[in-house]
Amino acid sequence: MMSDVNASPPESKRRGRRPAGQDTKTALLDAARAVFGESGYEGATVRAIATRAGVDAAMVNHWFGGKENLFAQAVLHLPFDPTQLIASFLDGDIDGLGERIVRNFLTVWDATDGGVFPALIRSIAGHDLAAQALRELFMNKVFAQLAAKIDVDQQDLRATLCASQMVGMGIVRYVAKFEPLASADHDTVIRAVAPNLQRYLTGSLD
Amino acid sequence: MMSDVNASPPESKRRGRRPAGQDTKTALLDAARAVFGESGYEGATVRAIATRAGVDAAMVNHWFGGKENLFAQAVLHLPFDPTQLIASFLDGDIDGLGERIVRNFLTVWDATDGGVFPALIRSIAGHDLAAQALRELFMNKVFAQLAAKIDVDQQDLRATLCASQMVGMGIVRYVAKFEPLASADHDTVIRAVAPNLQRYLTGSLD
């Protein structure tokens, strides 16, 4: 699949018309998420990312201008449309909100080994933007927006409580891997976690 | 307080009789937890830790033989007696379990800026033992032991669920600092989080 890399040298200027180059770029973004997720920002090397992608290390500079910008594009860029996501959470019975949220997180994260989440957690010491991106991802783009659309008191506190549960689930399931939660099937996790998330969103906090 | 450091040179052999040396050692352990908590294992330097402790960098090698062993003693060493902690959780009405746990975590963590927790999270990419220590701290020494002493089904799953909530609360309050949960007073957090922890421990998960 990556054998056409040599046909897309750094000096090429016709990027828009080169699917081979796009393949390289996509492969580097995927490899970057995996390597940053395993080693964190400080521990990840350009060489390791390029090797994982099956391309020459020079391709990282060619397509991204270095590790910093590759991190920004691979890890800090939101991998979904927040407006659409929140609409899908709100599409249905308000009492099913917790379940729809947990199911969505599990479906997306399980399919992508936690998506950008392990890379953010493992880079939180080595890159200033990682903690900020974590707040952006869980609070500003998702739970604060969601809570603002529900007719409840203490919307910001509810949003941070939801974030605490989902960040914790992310760590336990995808980063530090505490069993049996790390390997539990979706229905088990949803039955266990959804009612707690539902209470944070619509229950009494007093 | 640290002005007596020069009276306790590396070549001294009378360690047991030198309170000045013990002061240096304690200052280095405190400084190590703070610096590992801010920068993680990879980002923390021996020099930064020594500077924070107000002692010469040579003292790190003298007392701990290097960064690796200082990390082990400052961060991986359990800062409490698990048996005593679990007994204190179980000392009272079973319905007050969630409240006692959340109150204890908040009291200990708030007094110590999260204790070893931020250092473990920020070192999870740079030090193999950090994830293992996180499992040890939350699961093997606390929630698995606790759940085993309660007459409930699915004890291991309940333990990991509790861990997910408390790890998440630790990240949100002490590491990534999502407001308003990061600054909320104890009673607000306890009223919000304790019922969810209680459900994970003694409620129905089906």
Side-chain angles (χ1 to χ4, degrees), chain B residues 126-193:
Chain B
H127 201 294
D128 287 343
L129 288 177
Q132 197 178 312
L134 209 61
R135 272 196 302 273
E136 189 74 7
L137 179 62
F138 283 90
M139 286 298 296
N140 304 350
K141 297 296 186 190
V142 179
F143 286 117
Q145 300 278 345
L146 178 66
K149 289 189 187 296
I150 312 173
D151 181 24
V152 285
D153 61 352
Q154 303 182 80
Q155 292 171 326
D156 288 344
L157 180 62
R158 291 176 186 279
T160 47
L161 290 164
C162 290
S164 79
Q165 176 59 80
M166 298 315 288
V167 166
M169 203 187 77
I171 303 253
V172 161
R173 192 168 167 98
Y174 306 101
V175 181
K177 299 189 178 159
F178 296 180
E179 295 294 357
L181 187 55
S183 307
D185 62 59
H186 286 197
D187 286 344
T188 300
V189 180
I190 291 166
R191 279 197 302 268
V193 177

Side-chain angles (χ1 to χ4, degrees), chain A residues 85 89 97-115 117 138 143 165-174 178 180-195 197, chain B residues 157 161 164 200:
Chain A
L85 183 70
F89 289 163
L97 201 48
E99 178 175 337
R100 287 193 296 276
I101 294 169
V102 179
R103 189 181 298 280
N104 178 284
F105 270 86
L106 285 173
T107 304
V108 172
W109 276 352
D110 274 13
T112 56
D113 283 329
F117 183 76
F138 283 90
F143 286 118
Q165 176 58 80
M166 297 314 288
V167 166
M169 203 188 77
I171 303 254
V172 161
R173 192 168 168 99
Y174 305 101
F178 295 0
L181 187 54
S183 307
D185 61 61
H186 286 197
D187 286 343
T188 300
V189 180
I190 291 166
R191 279 196 303 268
V193 177
L197 210 65
Chain B
L157 180 62
L161 290 164
S164 79
Y200 281 157

Side-chain angles (χ1 to χ4, degrees), chain A residues 125-144:
Chain A
H127 201 294
D128 288 343
L129 289 177
Q132 196 178 314
L134 210 60
R135 271 196 303 274
E136 189 74 6
L137 179 62
F138 283 90
M139 286 298 296
N140 303 350
K141 297 296 186 191
V142 178
F143 286 118

Side-chain angles (χ1 to χ4, degrees), chain B residues 29-85:
Chain B
L29 287 169
D30 290 344
R33 269 184 293 272
V35 176
F36 286 129
E38 287 162 12
S39 310
Y41 183 79
E42 275 186 310
T45 63
V46 163
R47 181 176 299 272
I49 293 167
T51 301
R52 178 79 63 106
V55 306
D56 191 89
M59 289 294 132
V60 171
N61 282 324
H62 172 57
W63 286 107
F64 298 97
K67 177 170 144 181
E68 170 77 31
N69 193 38
L70 177 56
F71 183 76
Q73 290 201 39
V75 177
L76 302 182
H77 182 76
L78 276 184
F80 58 88
D81 174 359
T83 311
Q84 206 178 349
L85 183 70

Side-chain angles (χ1 to χ4, degrees), chain A residues 10-48:
Chain A
E11 54 272 23
S12 166
K13 294 214 171 100
R14 297 176 298 146
R15 290 182 191 179
R17 303 170 68 185
R18 298 184 86 76
Q22 275 304 325
D23 283 354
T24 302
K25 202 172 169 184
T26 303
L28 279 169
L29 287 168
D30 290 344
R33 269 185 293 273
V35 175
F36 286 128
E38 286 162 14
S39 309
Y41 182 78
E42 277 187 309
T45 63
V46 163
R47 181 176 300 272

